[in-house]
Every structure is written in C-alpha cells, then in structure tokens.
Amino acid sequence: MMTITPVAIAHNGFMQKFGIPRQSGCAPSVLTRIVFMPEYRVAEALRGIEQWSHLWLIWGFSANTAESDMQHFSPTVRPPRLGGNTRVGVFATRSPFRPNSLGLSSVRLERIEKTENEGMVLVVSGADLMDGTPIYDIKPYLPYTDIHSDASAGFTQQADDYRLAVEWGKGTKKGLSSRMVQELTEILAEDPRPAYKEDGGQQYGITYSGWNVTFIVSDNILKVEKIQKIQ
C-alpha cells in the first residue's frame, strides 16, 4: 500500500467549490500558482520543465465530505452534465466522489517565478482547482502520446459545446480589471449552477478572487446582476 503526501499546494481565486470549472481548460484565463512544500523547494527538481508547454497535475479533492471515503463507496454517481438525475458508474466519470479522492488536470505552464520566500513557483492557466488544493505530483504533457484524435467522449459529447452567453449588467464591471472580467466571463459561461437548477430568474452567486458575483440565468443567457468586493 502506498502513502502519498503533497509536493505542492495550489493557490488561486477559488475560495469555495461552487463556481470552479468542471474540467481543466474550460477557463483558460484563470491563473493558479503552484507553491512547493518546503522540502521540495529544490530548483534542480524543476530543471528542464520550461521546455514543456503543458503539464499534468495529480491532486486531491481535499474539500470533499466523508461521502468520498472508501467506507462510503458508491458505485454510481450523477454527473451534472446529465442533469444530475441519471446515474453512471463512478469509474466512467470524473466525479470527485470516488474510492481514492484523486484528480487529474491538464494545464498550461505560463511561467516560472523565482521568489524569496516560496522558492520556485509554477504559474499555470486553466486549472480546475480550489485554493489550497494539495498537488501530489506533476508530470509533463506529451502531445505525441497524450493526444488521441479518434477518442470518443461518452455522455459528454452531447454537451461538450454547452456554454451560456454572459451579459454584464450596467455598472457591474466597475472596479474590475479587464483580466478579471475575462476570467469571470469564462467561469460563468461554464454554468456554475448545481445540476438541480431552475432556468427562470432564480438568483445564484459565486465568490472568486475576493469578489461576490450575483447572477440569474434565463434562456441560456447568464446576466451578472451585482458584483461586490469582499471586505
């Protein structure tokens, strides 16, 4: 039996699970800093990593409830993309509720930062991780083996082009940088609402990077109604 411990911790603007993209790459503008644990802050461990444009992150669903423990193992789950009502085998999904709470994400390596207090930090884009997520391993993404042009996408094929149109209400962009607007637009377009949702004026909200964002959805159009800085 293998015991694993984190080599790094992810840091970004996702302070809660609600609103995190359901897959990596869905919000490509979102940046995440990968900060290594003190014992792994060895520059030599990253030698040559700048040669790779993309990386695989192996990480843990650290914010899950006991529902994900093997003791509470459920052989089926209800994927949000199927409306939250249809059950599918857990090993046929990427559900966070699995025997071992491990996740796998493909991210783009944007840059490497040399810091005084945190050592060498990887800045990646497109991660689907919550702030504080433990990273257990990092591996290069190899296009000549990792891309399969003839791959089928199972039940996700019927919804792989699903996006909401995002409209910003009057004055809601005030105080936001253009980058923050882009990041939030990508996050909201992925439809952060729970699987059991009503399309017709119900108000929802997400918290991202110190901002509370309130929105409604109607006819596949998401309208940002209010955005407020967290004090």
Side-chain angles (χ1 to χ4, degrees):
M1 183 176 294
M2 179 174 64
T3 300
I4 59 175
T5 57
V7 300
I9 301 294
H11 292 289
N12 56 28
F14 292 113
M15 309 307 294
Q16 58 183 12
K17 291 190 293 183
F18 188 63
I20 296 177
R22 291 188 172 93
Q23 303 293 339
S24 57
C26 290
S29 295
V30 172
L31 297 181
T32 297
R33 300 176 75 247
I34 306 298
V35 179
F36 288 88
M37 305 298 284
E39 61 268 38
Y40 297 106
R41 291 176 189 173
V42 182
E44 287 80 2
L46 295 177
R47 184 184 298 168
I49 199 169
E50 71 282 353
Q51 299 176 42
W52 309 97
S53 64
H54 292 73
L55 303 170
W56 287 111
L57 303 180
I58 301 171
W59 49 278
F61 290 99
S62 55
N64 276 6
T65 64
E67 182 177 355
S68 62
D69 296 341
M70 190 63 180
Q71 180 180 357
H72 300 86
F73 171 62
S74 173
T76 62
V77 294
R78 294 179 292 185
R81 280 295 186 245
L82 291 179
N85 296 312
T86 303
R87 286 197 169 272
V88 178
V90 64
F91 298 123
T93 75
R94 294 189 177 187
S95 168
F97 301 109
R98 39 201 331 109
N100 295 303
S101 296
L102 293 177
L104 179 68
S105 296
S106 172
V107 297
R108 173 181 286 275
L109 176 60
E110 297 290 342
R111 62 182 181 271
I112 304 168
E113 295 179 347
K114 186 177 182 179
T115 71
E116 183 176 347
N117 298 322
E118 298 173 325
M120 304 296 281
V121 174
L122 302 181
V123 179
V124 302
S125 59
D128 51 341
L129 310 176
M130 191 170 79
D131 183 75
T133 294
I135 308 296
Y136 292 113
D137 205 356
I138 300 170
K139 299 177 184 289
Y141 177 97
L142 305 180
Y144 72 93
T145 59
D146 294 345
I147 292 176
H148 302 281
S149 59
D150 60 341
S152 61
F155 63 82
T156 64
Q157 286 187 252
Q158 59 186 285
D160 61 0
D161 60 347
Y162 174 77
R163 297 288 187 281
L164 296 177
V166 178
E167 295 182 354
W168 292 78
K170 185 177 180 180
T172 53
K173 294 182 182 180
K174 185 178 180 180
L176 298 179
S177 66
S178 58
R179 180 173 187 88
M180 181 63 70
V181 171
Q182 178 66 25
E183 291 177 13
L184 283 170
T185 298
E186 291 176 358
I187 293 166
L188 295 170
E190 282 295 304
D191 194 353
R193 295 176 298 166
Y196 303 100
K197 55 182 178 280
E198 297 177 6
D199 189 1
Q202 183 174 343
Q203 196 172 72
Y204 296 90
I206 66 168
T207 300
Y208 177 70
S209 202
W211 294 89
N212 284 326
V213 183
T214 304
F215 62 90
I216 60 172
V217 177
S218 181
D219 296 327
N220 287 330
I221 298 174
L222 183 150
K223 183 176 181 180
V224 179
E225 291 196 313
K226 183 179 180 181
I227 182 162
Q228 185 175 19
K229 185 71 174 177
I230 299 174
Q231 301 299 323

